[in-house]
Amino acid sequence: MTPPVIPPAHRTCSRATTVRPSRTPGDGPPHGAPACTTTTRAFRTVIPFGRDGAGMPVSWDLSAGRNLLIARDERLAPPSVSLDLAAMSVLSGGTHDVIVLDPHRRHRWLIELGPGQSSSARTAATPEDMTRVVTDLVSTPGTQPRMLLVSDLAATVAALDHRTRALLTEAAVTARERRLTIVATTADPNPRWFPEHLIDAFDDVVEPQAVPGRYREPRLWAR
């Protein structure tokens, strides 16, 4: 597994972000450049997804405070390396507490990384545990920024009752004011399969693009 990307201690960018144009159907992957606005030290964590048709790396910076939706089928694919990278990066950097909703029970080993770190990790796999975690997430302010990883958003939503689905949607819509970042995977990002406003709460989307004669190249969309 590729080790987490940890920036050098002398980085002088208060909030490194990638400037992307608005999402337009049919456009290719948006391009942009990191922009630093002050000289304050910051922590920047980049999660790689591969390369596009031009050979340029496709990656996402979780320090920008945006929610990310990853189009992939957790039922058919191996465990999500991207979710593991995101969790390992923030835990090793001590930047966020990590919460994992894991209905397929593929990421339970992440809780072993929490002890001894300045941040913690917890996982929930059963409907009862996921309900408890989502309720706590909305009702209890965190002592530091939190990252919620949702492995298979559709399976997670299906396992929750109506009230907890509404709480999960509320957490996603108000994520920035809660110092929360949500990274989720789904086989189909069509909003009609989910509670109203839930999919719209994801600022960025990574999805594969089928290219004749090539592997399915990742594309990063910014809403």
Side-chain angles (χ1 to χ4, degrees):
M1 177 178 292
T2 305
V5 179
I6 300 191
H10 64 272
R11 185 180 297 278
T12 59
C13 181
S14 65
R15 182 178 173 182
T17 61
T18 300
V19 181
R20 306 184 182 94
S22 300
R23 179 177 179 178
T24 303
D27 285 350
H31 298 283
C36 294
T37 56
T38 72
T39 57
T40 305
R41 177 181 172 182
F43 188 96
R44 182 170 184 263
T45 303
V46 175
I47 308 302
F49 288 94
R51 295 182 178 273
D52 62 19
M56 300 298 293
V58 176
S59 60
W60 179 77
D61 184 2
L62 63 87
S63 71
R66 297 165 63 84
N67 294 333
L68 175 68
L69 189 64
I70 305 169
R72 58 172 276 130
D73 193 338
E74 297 290 350
R75 298 167 301 175
L76 302 177
S80 175
V81 174
S82 299
L83 290 185
D84 289 342
L85 278 174
M88 291 173 62
S89 295
V90 300
L91 286 172
S92 61
T95 58
H96 298 65
D97 288 333
V98 176
I99 306 157
V100 186
L101 301 184
D102 185 20
H104 301 308
R105 303 173 186 268
R106 291 184 167 183
H107 304 276
R108 294 179 64 85
W109 63 271
L110 288 171
I111 61 176
E112 299 176 2
L113 299 180
Q117 304 289 343
S118 57
S119 55
S120 63
R122 60 184 297 195
T123 67
T126 66
E128 295 77 15
D129 286 345
M130 289 192 289
T131 295
R132 189 177 304 110
V133 164
V134 172
T135 301
D136 290 345
L137 190 67
V138 173
S139 61
T140 306
T143 57
Q144 70 171 354
R146 294 171 290 180
M147 167 176 281
L148 176 65
L149 303 179
V150 185
S151 176
D152 197 335
L153 185 61
T156 298
V157 167
L160 303 176
D161 59 25
H162 180 76
R163 173 183 172 275
T164 311
R165 293 175 188 175
L167 290 177
L168 179 61
T169 301
E170 178 184 347
V173 171
T174 61
R176 293 191 183 186
E177 61 192 68
R178 296 178 184 278
R179 303 175 71 198
L180 173 68
T181 298
I182 301 179
V183 178
T185 63
T186 183
D188 185 353
N190 192 318
R192 69 177 179 170
W193 306 121
F194 298 91
E196 187 177 7
H197 305 306
L198 178 55
I199 294 298
D200 292 337
F202 288 91
D203 309 286
D204 298 322
V205 179
V206 171
E207 58 186 356
Q209 177 186 15
V211 179
R214 294 179 58 85
Y215 68 95
R216 292 170 64 84
E217 298 167 354
R219 322 173 68 179
L220 176 62
W221 294 108
R223 294 183 184 273

